Amino acid sequence: MEQNNLLTQSDICLIQPSEQYQHEIMDFREEFLRNHETAYGTEQLTDAVSFEEWLKNVQRNEKKETAENGRPPSYEFMAIRKSDRRIVGMINVRYELTEEMYRYLGHIGYCVRKSERQKGYAAEMLRLALKEAKKIGLDKVLLTVDSDKTASIATMKKNGAVLENEVPYLGKITQRYWIEL
């Protein structure tokens, strides 16, 4: 990779969603819809009827007492590029797991918008999210990925992920990785 394409650790920060970012969040959502992609780790942003509904859901899911349908609590973060305040990605940190999440989904889900990929943002987002996971009391995190997602696997390994095993899930092979914090 050329030197001018390398990301420095100070280029992005993680910020929890708020009304202040409504326009940017909806623009982020539209990019995924236009490209017919799934926006992992966004609390189902692409399925939301409105921004207000989505934000209310995100805030409700932060506490065990109010999380929907027995879901474990989680924190949603936007990865904001500091230079222009653009959302380059989103990442969700779950601080408890259901049995299905333990087997197939893990503690952290994330995505980077198509126009910002191949710039190192996913690895930096994960690095920052691991700090957040430690703050909430986790000492290790589980990450999962489809076995054919080589870029995601490289991102996880860059942050110290170690493969535990592979399991079939929804017609694919899911790899389960752990990162010690």
Side-chain angles (χ1 to χ4, degrees), residues 64-166:
K64 189 173 189 169
E65 308 80 55
T66 57
E68 64 179 333
N69 299 328
R71 285 183 48 148
S74 65
Y75 290 106
E76 184 70 35
F77 296 97
M78 305 173 296
I80 305 286
R81 185 170 45 219
K82 293 177 181 179
S83 63
D84 60 4
R85 307 300 288 171
R86 184 168 198 224
I87 299 172
V88 297
M90 289 187 135
I91 192 161
N92 186 273
V93 180
R94 301 172 196 101
Y95 52 97
E96 291 179 11
L97 298 177
T98 63
E99 186 174 330
E100 180 184 28
M101 288 178 169
Y102 178 78
R103 289 185 180 176
Y104 309 113
L105 302 174
H107 287 99
I108 297 175
Y110 59 90
C111 63
V112 174
R113 66 193 316 159
K114 190 171 188 171
S115 61
E116 298 294 345
R117 292 181 189 153
Q118 304 293 314
K119 299 177 183 178
Y121 290 124
E124 180 62 4
M125 286 168 50
L126 181 55
R127 186 187 75 79
L128 294 170
L130 292 171
K131 288 182 172 188
E132 296 297 329
K134 187 155 183 83
K135 283 183 197 175
I136 60 174
L138 297 176
D139 57 359
K140 63 181 181 175
V141 297
L142 172 66
L143 301 169
T144 65
V145 62
D146 291 345
S147 62
D148 62 346
K149 304 289 186 194
T150 56
S152 291
I153 292 167
T155 292
M156 294 184 326
K157 287 182 175 181
K158 189 177 211 178
N159 279 281
V162 177
L163 178 65
E164 178 182 64
N165 62 357
E166 295 182 332

Side-chain angles (χ1 to χ4, degrees), residues 4-42:
N4 61 358
N5 289 334
L6 293 176
L7 175 71
T8 64
Q9 291 183 359
S10 62
D11 289 346
I12 64 170
C13 60
L14 297 185
I15 298 174
Q16 290 188 280
S18 67
E19 292 173 359
Q20 173 187 351
Y21 286 92
Q22 179 176 351
H23 175 74
E24 292 86 350
I25 290 168
M26 296 311 282
D27 180 64
F28 180 84
R29 175 185 185 266
E30 286 303 314
E31 187 167 333
F32 278 87
L33 291 173
R34 272 193 316 275
N35 290 299
H36 307 285
E37 294 182 326
T38 301
Y40 296 105
T42 65

